[in-house]
Amino acid sequence: MTSRRLILVASVCGIVLWTVFAQLNHYLSSWHVSLFIGGLLVVFPALRLNYRDGWKIVVLLGLWFDATAPVRFGLHAVLFLAAHTFIFNLRARFPREETYFGILVALIANAAIFLVLTLGLIVRHPAPLGALPAIFLDLFISELFVALAAGWFFSLQEHALEIAGFSLRHERRGLL
């Protein structure tokens, strides 16, 4: 029961971020710019939660992304799960509870997922090389947004989980 509540709370936080991202994309569309924040959704569950709860959260959020994206259903979910697994397997070597480290991992994960999606979908474009400046501009602006929003999003998730009755510090470190 508590695992389901944790998954629900973390998923709702991801949907809140997705909603903000969708509104920003709406306003930026007149300038032909779009944001991608998929890596930011993966990092907190991968760094702070156990594997089973984390993969359920990132798959749910990936399916939420897929519902509105013009790609095959499940593509974001698979990419988010792959990123989650990769980050989870490396997290023991790093200061995973530090906000600055989380921001750095979010930037790397976001760029990696963005580039994998771009490489997989660029074949649809009639002039792939002509699209590169726009692609790199989208990546740069996305990374800027992720860097600015990551601290807020990590705090939102941690406080939402505390309100729901989960203390990550108590459960992971046993200090408090």
Side-chain angles (χ1 to χ4, degrees):
M1 181 65 173
T2 59
S3 180
R4 288 182 186 165
R5 193 170 34 145
L6 181 132
I7 292 167
L8 177 68
V9 169
S11 297
V12 167
C13 289
I15 291 169
V16 166
L17 181 68
W18 178 86
T19 304
V20 171
F21 141 79
Q23 286 300 311
L24 283 172
N25 272 337
H26 174 73
Y27 292 122
L28 292 173
S29 66
S30 62
W31 289 302
H32 305 287
V33 174
S34 66
L35 298 174
F36 180 77
I37 47 97
L40 184 55
L41 295 172
V42 172
V43 171
F44 188 85
L47 290 178
R48 301 293 302 277
L49 303 178
N50 65 41
Y51 184 77
R52 173 174 268 152
D53 293 336
W55 79 259
K56 290 175 183 176
I57 293 164
V58 298
V59 167
L60 283 171
L61 292 173
L63 293 174
W64 188 273
F65 252 68
D66 285 331
T68 60
V71 297
R72 291 194 185 268
F73 192 73
L75 180 62
H76 285 98
V78 168
L79 291 174
F80 288 6
L81 181 59
H84 170 74
T85 302
F86 184 76
I87 294 166
F88 185 85
N89 287 324
L90 293 177
R91 79 181 191 172
R93 298 180 176 118
F94 299 107
R96 62 189 179 133
E97 293 181 3
E98 295 294 326
T99 303
Y100 293 114
F101 180 72
I103 293 171
L104 177 66
V105 173
L107 289 169
I108 294 168
N110 195 61
I113 294 170
F114 179 89
L115 292 173
V116 166
L117 275 170
T118 300
L119 290 175
L121 299 174
I122 200 160
V123 295
R124 294 181 179 179
H125 198 279
L129 293 178
L132 286 180
I135 290 169
F136 286 125
L137 177 65
D138 286 351
L139 177 60
F140 176 75
I141 292 174
S142 296
E143 293 292 287
L144 185 62
F145 177 78
V146 166
L148 293 173
W152 168 80
F153 185 59
F154 296 155
S155 179
L156 172 73
Q157 286 185 307
E158 192 165 326
H159 289 304
L161 289 173
E162 283 179 12
I163 290 170
F166 298 98
S167 177
L168 297 178
R169 291 181 186 163
H170 179 68
E171 290 178 13
R172 298 291 168 224
R173 288 190 152 184
L175 293 176
L176 299 173

